[in-house]
């Protein structure tokens, strides 16, 4: 029994290491994904502002074209007015010039608004690009480190798996299944020593009769309180654990 429990305790150390390394590996992978996601969302934001500016630019050119057309038409009508002798025709031509003036004024107002929007969007684009740049360099710097860590953890996990296979072959199959069930249900601690009459898993006092049975090491004893597998560890042996 003793050697079986000792093998299980060794298996537990490997399993705890496996669990810890696997969690760290997942945390590293999540961090890589989160950094990538942050860069991606900033890239999307920059692209959206660039698109907005493209649209504003074409609206600006359109308005500038309309304004120059209205202005040249106005110039043309004014030239014509100097040659008109008929009062009725003159009145109509002047009215047309007035309308063109109004039209040009409206276009100018709209153009000013568009130019202001271009200005605001340009500043926003600059800020967004700066932020993206900073984020990308931070990502690149951290990424290299994370990939290094992930590589190391992967290798450690491989080693643990190999060691686990070796240990598993030395443990009775039923005992191992019970151990695995307790390990998963009891937060990664299935095999615990009894020290000073106390279960080191839940720190409850173990009844003296049970304590004697554990010391005999003849059968598997579960803690009556936390249901973990108990083994006897004499005082002063903690250091070797
Ligand atoms: Zn206990």
């Amino acid at each position: 029994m003793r050697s079986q429990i000792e093998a299980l305790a060794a298996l537990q150390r490997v399993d705890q290491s496996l669990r810890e390394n696997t969690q760290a590996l997942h945390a590293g992978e999540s961090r890589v994904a989160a950094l990538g996601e942050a860069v991606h969302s900033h890239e999307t934001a920059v692209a959206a502002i660039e698109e907005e500016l493209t649209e504003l630019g074409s609206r600006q050119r359109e308005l500038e074209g309309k304004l120059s057309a209205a202005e040249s038409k106005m110039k043309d009508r004014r030239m014509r007015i100097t040659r008109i002798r008929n009062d009725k025709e003159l009145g109509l031509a002047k009215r047309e010039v007035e309308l063109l003036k109004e039209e040009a004024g409206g276009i100018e107002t709209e153009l000013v608004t568009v130019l202001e929007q271009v200005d605001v969007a340009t500043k926003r684009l600059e800020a967004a690009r700066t932020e993206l740049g900073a984020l990308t360099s931070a990502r690149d710097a951290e990424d290299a480190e994370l990939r290094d860590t992930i590589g190391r953890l992967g290798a450690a996990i491989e080693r643990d798996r190999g060691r686990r296979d070796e240990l598993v072959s030395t443990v009775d199959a039923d005992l191992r299944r019970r151990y695995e069930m307790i390990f998963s249900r009891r937060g990664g601690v299935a095999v615990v020593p009894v020290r000073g009459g106390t279960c080191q898993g839940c720190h409850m006092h173990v009844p003296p009769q049970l304590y004697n049975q554990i010391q005999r090491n003849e059968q598997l004893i579960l803690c009556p309180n936390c249901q973990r597998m108990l083994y006897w560890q004499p005082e002063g042996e903690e250091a070797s654990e």
Side-chain angles (χ1 to χ4, degrees), residues 2 8 16 33 44 59 61 63 67 80 84 101 106 113 125 134 180 214 222 228 239:
R2 170 128 200 175
L8 280 180
Q16 284 168 344
T44 308
R59 181 74 185 134
R61 281 188 298 281
L63 288 169
L67 184 62
R80 254 190 240 177
I84 295 172
K101 230 178 176 175
T113 306
L125 181 61
E180 281 168 353
I214 297 161
L222 299 181
R228 290 187 175 99

PDB file of all heavy atoms in Angstrom, residues 2 8 16 33 44 59 61 63 67 80 84 101 106 113 125 134 180 214 222 228 239:
ATOM      1  N   ARG A   2       1.891   1.196   0.827  1.00  0.00           N
ATOM      2  CA  ARG A   2       2.748   2.372   0.980  1.00  0.00           C
ATOM      3  C   ARG A   2       3.352   2.793  -0.359  1.00  0.00           C
ATOM      4  O   ARG A   2       3.310   3.962  -0.743  1.00  0.00           O
ATOM      5  CB  ARG A   2       3.869   2.077   1.992  1.00  0.00           C
ATOM      6  CG  ARG A   2       4.928   3.164   2.025  1.00  0.00           C
ATOM      7  CD  ARG A   2       5.202   3.669   3.414  1.00  0.00           C
ATOM      8  NE  ARG A   2       5.842   4.973   3.355  1.00  0.00           N
ATOM      9  CZ  ARG A   2       6.122   5.696   4.413  1.00  0.00           C
ATOM     10  NH1 ARG A   2       5.797   5.258   5.607  1.00  0.00           N
ATOM     11  NH2 ARG A   2       6.696   6.863   4.292  1.00  0.00           N
ATOM     12  N   LEU A   8       1.338   7.324  -6.136  1.00  0.00           N
ATOM     13  CA  LEU A   8       0.245   8.269  -6.399  1.00  0.00           C
ATOM     14  C   LEU A   8       0.652   9.704  -6.018  1.00  0.00           C
ATOM     15  O   LEU A   8       0.304  10.655  -6.707  1.00  0.00           O
ATOM     16  CB  LEU A   8      -1.010   7.883  -5.612  1.00  0.00           C
ATOM     17  CG  LEU A   8      -1.878   6.763  -6.191  1.00  0.00           C
ATOM     18  CD1 LEU A   8      -3.078   6.521  -5.282  1.00  0.00           C
ATOM     19  CD2 LEU A   8      -2.352   7.095  -7.602  1.00  0.00           C
ATOM     20  N   GLN A  16      -0.003  18.044 -10.851  1.00  0.00           N
ATOM     21  CA  GLN A  16      -0.111  19.447 -10.430  1.00  0.00           C
ATOM     22  C   GLN A  16       0.737  20.337 -11.330  1.00  0.00           C
ATOM     23  O   GLN A  16       0.314  21.422 -11.721  1.00  0.00           O
ATOM     24  CB  GLN A  16       0.314  19.598  -8.961  1.00  0.00           C
ATOM     25  CG  GLN A  16      -0.760  19.091  -7.997  1.00  0.00           C
ATOM     26  CD  GLN A  16      -0.281  18.953  -6.561  1.00  0.00           C
ATOM     27  OE1 GLN A  16       0.920  18.952  -6.302  1.00  0.00           O
ATOM     28  NE2 GLN A  16      -1.217  18.820  -5.632  1.00  0.00           N
ATOM     29  N   ALA A  33      -3.717  36.201 -28.166  1.00  0.00           N
ATOM     30  CA  ALA A  33      -4.953  36.457 -28.917  1.00  0.00           C
ATOM     31  C   ALA A  33      -5.504  37.846 -28.590  1.00  0.00           C
ATOM     32  O   ALA A  33      -5.950  38.564 -29.485  1.00  0.00           O
ATOM     33  CB  ALA A  33      -5.993  35.382 -28.582  1.00  0.00           C
ATOM     34  N   THR A  44      -8.864  48.413 -37.730  1.00  0.00           N
ATOM     35  CA  THR A  44     -10.206  48.628 -38.277  1.00  0.00           C
ATOM     36  C   THR A  44     -10.624  50.087 -38.091  1.00  0.00           C
ATOM     37  O   THR A  44     -11.203  50.696 -38.999  1.00  0.00           O
ATOM     38  CB  THR A  44     -11.219  47.692 -37.561  1.00  0.00           C
ATOM     39  OG1 THR A  44     -10.713  46.369 -37.621  1.00  0.00           O
ATOM     40  CG2 THR A  44     -12.581  47.755 -38.204  1.00  0.00           C
ATOM     41  N   ARG A  59     -16.376  64.511 -51.767  1.00  0.00           N
ATOM     42  CA  ARG A  59     -17.437  65.522 -51.582  1.00  0.00           C
ATOM     43  C   ARG A  59     -16.848  66.932 -51.744  1.00  0.00           C
ATOM     44  O   ARG A  59     -17.458  67.798 -52.373  1.00  0.00           O
ATOM     45  CB  ARG A  59     -18.048  65.362 -50.173  1.00  0.00           C
ATOM     46  CG  ARG A  59     -19.171  66.318 -49.848  1.00  0.00           C
ATOM     47  CD  ARG A  59     -20.453  65.950 -50.580  1.00  0.00           C
ATOM     48  NE  ARG A  59     -21.501  66.959 -50.353  1.00  0.00           N
ATOM     49  CZ  ARG A  59     -22.261  67.474 -51.291  1.00  0.00           C
ATOM     50  NH1 ARG A  59     -22.109  67.091 -52.543  1.00  0.00           N
ATOM     51  NH2 ARG A  59     -23.199  68.355 -51.011  1.00  0.00           N
ATOM     52  N   ARG A  61     -14.183  67.809 -53.563  1.00  0.00           N
ATOM     53  CA  ARG A  61     -13.901  68.059 -54.981  1.00  0.00           C
ATOM     54  C   ARG A  61     -15.182  68.332 -55.762  1.00  0.00           C
ATOM     55  O   ARG A  61     -15.225  69.215 -56.628  1.00  0.00           O
ATOM     56  CB  ARG A  61     -13.158  66.873 -55.594  1.00  0.00           C
ATOM     57  CG  ARG A  61     -11.665  66.873 -55.255  1.00  0.00           C
ATOM     58  CD  ARG A  61     -10.919  65.800 -56.031  1.00  0.00           C
ATOM     59  NE  ARG A  61     -11.390  64.453 -55.705  1.00  0.00           N
ATOM     60  CZ  ARG A  61     -11.023  63.797 -54.608  1.00  0.00           C
ATOM     61  NH1 ARG A  61     -10.213  64.366 -53.721  1.00  0.00           N
ATOM     62  NH2 ARG A  61     -11.478  62.582 -54.372  1.00  0.00           N
ATOM     63  N   LEU A  63     -17.964  69.684 -54.597  1.00  0.00           N
ATOM     64  CA  LEU A  63     -18.430  71.039 -54.259  1.00  0.00           C
ATOM     65  C   LEU A  63     -17.561  72.102 -54.909  1.00  0.00           C
ATOM     66  O   LEU A  63     -18.065  73.114 -55.408  1.00  0.00           O
ATOM     67  CB  LEU A  63     -18.443  71.225 -52.731  1.00  0.00           C
ATOM     68  CG  LEU A  63     -19.533  70.462 -51.987  1.00  0.00           C
ATOM     69  CD1 LEU A  63     -19.289  70.496 -50.487  1.00  0.00           C
ATOM     70  CD2 LEU A  63     -20.926  71.042 -52.314  1.00  0.00           C
ATOM     71  N   LEU A  67     -18.868  74.923 -57.440  1.00  0.00           N
ATOM     72  CA  LEU A  67     -18.636  76.330 -57.124  1.00  0.00           C
ATOM     73  C   LEU A  67     -17.954  77.028 -58.299  1.00  0.00           C
ATOM     74  O   LEU A  67     -18.376  78.127 -58.710  1.00  0.00           O
ATOM     75  CB  LEU A  67     -17.766  76.449 -55.866  1.00  0.00           C
ATOM     76  CG  LEU A  67     -17.512  77.869 -55.365  1.00  0.00           C
ATOM     77  CD1 LEU A  67     -18.819  78.560 -54.974  1.00  0.00           C
ATOM     78  CD2 LEU A  67     -16.560  77.863 -54.159  1.00  0.00           C
ATOM     79  N   ARG A  80     -22.356  89.400 -70.266  1.00  0.00           N
ATOM     80  CA  ARG A  80     -23.473  89.542 -71.199  1.00  0.00           C
ATOM     81  C   ARG A  80     -24.313  90.779 -70.883  1.00  0.00           C
ATOM     82  O   ARG A  80     -24.792  91.442 -71.799  1.00  0.00           O
ATOM     83  CB  ARG A  80     -24.354  88.294 -71.139  1.00  0.00           C
ATOM     84  CG  ARG A  80     -24.158  87.443 -72.374  1.00  0.00           C
ATOM     85  CD  ARG A  80     -25.210  86.371 -72.408  1.00  0.00           C
ATOM     86  NE  ARG A  80     -24.565  85.058 -72.405  1.00  0.00           N
ATOM     87  CZ  ARG A  80     -25.238  83.931 -72.370  1.00  0.00           C
ATOM     88  NH1 ARG A  80     -26.557  83.945 -72.242  1.00  0.00           N
ATOM     89  NH2 ARG A  80     -24.605  82.801 -72.423  1.00  0.00           N
ATOM     90  N   ILE A  84     -26.530  93.962 -73.041  1.00  0.00           N
ATOM     91  CA  ILE A  84     -27.994  93.962 -73.166  1.00  0.00           C
ATOM     92  C   ILE A  84     -28.527  95.394 -73.170  1.00  0.00           C
ATOM     93  O   ILE A  84     -28.134  96.202 -72.324  1.00  0.00           O
ATOM     94  CB  ILE A  84     -28.641  93.140 -72.023  1.00  0.00           C
ATOM     95  CG1 ILE A  84     -28.259  91.657 -72.135  1.00  0.00           C
ATOM     96  CG2 ILE A  84     -30.173  93.271 -72.039  1.00  0.00           C
ATOM     97  CD1 ILE A  84     -28.689  90.803 -70.959  1.00  0.00           C
ATOM     98  N   LYS A 101     -25.528  83.784 -57.577  1.00  0.00           N
ATOM     99  CA  LYS A 101     -24.824  84.251 -56.385  1.00  0.00           C
ATOM    100  C   LYS A 101     -25.294  83.468 -55.153  1.00  0.00           C
ATOM    101  O   LYS A 101     -24.487  83.007 -54.344  1.00  0.00           O
ATOM    102  CB  LYS A 101     -25.145  85.733 -56.165  1.00  0.00           C
ATOM    103  CG  LYS A 101     -23.940  86.615 -55.940  1.00  0.00           C
ATOM    104  CD  LYS A 101     -24.477  88.026 -55.808  1.00  0.00           C
ATOM    105  CE  LYS A 101     -23.412  89.035 -55.485  1.00  0.00           C
ATOM    106  NZ  LYS A 101     -23.991  90.397 -55.482  1.00  0.00           N
ATOM    107  N   GLY A 106     -24.482  79.158 -51.161  1.00  0.00           N
ATOM    108  CA  GLY A 106     -24.887  77.889 -50.525  1.00  0.00           C
ATOM    109  C   GLY A 106     -23.789  76.848 -50.626  1.00  0.00           C
ATOM    110  O   GLY A 106     -23.480  76.150 -49.640  1.00  0.00           O
ATOM    111  N   THR A 113     -18.136  73.622 -44.254  1.00  0.00           N
ATOM    112  CA  THR A 113     -18.472  72.524 -43.333  1.00  0.00           C
ATOM    113  C   THR A 113     -17.647  71.280 -43.649  1.00  0.00           C
ATOM    114  O   THR A 113     -17.077  70.650 -42.753  1.00  0.00           O
ATOM    115  CB  THR A 113     -19.984  72.198 -43.437  1.00  0.00           C
ATOM    116  OG1 THR A 113     -20.712  73.394 -43.229  1.00  0.00           O
ATOM    117  CG2 THR A 113     -20.391  71.149 -42.412  1.00  0.00           C
ATOM    118  N   LEU A 125      -7.390  60.778 -37.453  1.00  0.00           N
ATOM    119  CA  LEU A 125      -6.612  59.740 -38.133  1.00  0.00           C
ATOM    120  C   LEU A 125      -5.178  59.714 -37.601  1.00  0.00           C
ATOM    121  O   LEU A 125      -4.621  58.644 -37.335  1.00  0.00           O
ATOM    122  CB  LEU A 125      -6.611  59.983 -39.650  1.00  0.00           C
ATOM    123  CG  LEU A 125      -5.843  58.954 -40.481  1.00  0.00           C
ATOM    124  CD1 LEU A 125      -6.432  57.559 -40.322  1.00  0.00           C
ATOM    125  CD2 LEU A 125      -5.827  59.352 -41.954  1.00  0.00           C
ATOM    126  N   ALA A 134       1.902  52.524 -31.495  1.00  0.00           N
ATOM    127  CA  ALA A 134       2.370  52.198 -30.140  1.00  0.00           C
ATOM    128  C   ALA A 134       1.914  50.793 -29.749  1.00  0.00           C
ATOM    129  O   ALA A 134       2.673  49.993 -29.202  1.00  0.00           O
ATOM    130  CB  ALA A 134       1.841  53.220 -29.145  1.00  0.00           C
ATOM    131  N   GLU A 180      -7.730   9.857  -9.750  1.00  0.00           N
ATOM    132  CA  GLU A 180      -8.036  10.863 -10.780  1.00  0.00           C
ATOM    133  C   GLU A 180      -9.367  11.555 -10.509  1.00  0.00           C
ATOM    134  O   GLU A 180      -9.519  12.763 -10.724  1.00  0.00           O
ATOM    135  CB  GLU A 180      -8.029  10.226 -12.174  1.00  0.00           C
ATOM    136  CG  GLU A 180      -6.606  10.059 -12.681  1.00  0.00           C
ATOM    137  CD  GLU A 180      -6.493   9.191 -13.918  1.00  0.00           C
ATOM    138  OE1 GLU A 180      -7.513   8.583 -14.327  1.00  0.00           O
ATOM    139  OE2 GLU A 180      -5.371   9.108 -14.459  1.00  0.00           O
ATOM    140  N   ILE A 214      -3.897   4.146   9.287  1.00  0.00           N
ATOM    141  CA  ILE A 214      -3.052   4.793   8.281  1.00  0.00           C
ATOM    142  C   ILE A 214      -1.582   4.424   8.514  1.00  0.00           C
ATOM    143  O   ILE A 214      -0.855   4.105   7.582  1.00  0.00           O
ATOM    144  CB  ILE A 214      -3.242   6.329   8.316  1.00  0.00           C
ATOM    145  CG1 ILE A 214      -4.685   6.696   7.946  1.00  0.00           C
ATOM    146  CG2 ILE A 214      -2.284   7.017   7.351  1.00  0.00           C
ATOM    147  CD1 ILE A 214      -5.092   8.093   8.382  1.00  0.00           C
ATOM    148  N   LEU A 222      -9.480   6.941   3.344  1.00  0.00           N
ATOM    149  CA  LEU A 222      -9.896   8.266   2.870  1.00  0.00           C
ATOM    150  C   LEU A 222     -10.202   9.142   4.077  1.00  0.00           C
ATOM    151  O   LEU A 222     -10.709   8.666   5.088  1.00  0.00           O
ATOM    152  CB  LEU A 222     -11.155   8.164   1.996  1.00  0.00           C
ATOM    153  CG  LEU A 222     -11.053   7.326   0.725  1.00  0.00           C
ATOM    154  CD1 LEU A 222     -12.384   7.365  -0.029  1.00  0.00           C
ATOM    155  CD2 LEU A 222      -9.929   7.815  -0.180  1.00  0.00           C
ATOM    156  N   ARG A 228     -10.157  12.756   0.748  1.00  0.00           N
ATOM    157  CA  ARG A 228      -8.887  12.585   0.039  1.00  0.00           C
ATOM    158  C   ARG A 228      -8.171  11.338   0.555  1.00  0.00           C
ATOM    159  O   ARG A 228      -8.474  10.837   1.645  1.00  0.00           O
ATOM    160  CB  ARG A 228      -8.006  13.821   0.237  1.00  0.00           C
ATOM    161  CG  ARG A 228      -8.537  15.048  -0.491  1.00  0.00           C
ATOM    162  CD  ARG A 228      -7.532  16.187  -0.405  1.00  0.00           C
ATOM    163  NE  ARG A 228      -7.954  17.331  -1.188  1.00  0.00           N
ATOM    164  CZ  ARG A 228      -8.557  18.409  -0.674  1.00  0.00           C
ATOM    165  NH1 ARG A 228      -8.819  18.475   0.611  1.00  0.00           N
ATOM    166  NH2 ARG A 228      -8.910  19.409  -1.455  1.00  0.00           N
ATOM    167  N   ALA A 239      10.191  18.128   5.014  1.00  0.00           N
ATOM    168  CA  ALA A 239      11.219  18.769   4.195  1.00  0.00           C
ATOM    169  C   ALA A 239      11.576  17.944   2.960  1.00  0.00           C
ATOM    170  O   ALA A 239      11.907  18.495   1.917  1.00  0.00           O
ATOM    171  CB  ALA A 239      12.469  19.022   5.038  1.00  0.00           C
TER     172      ALA A 239
END
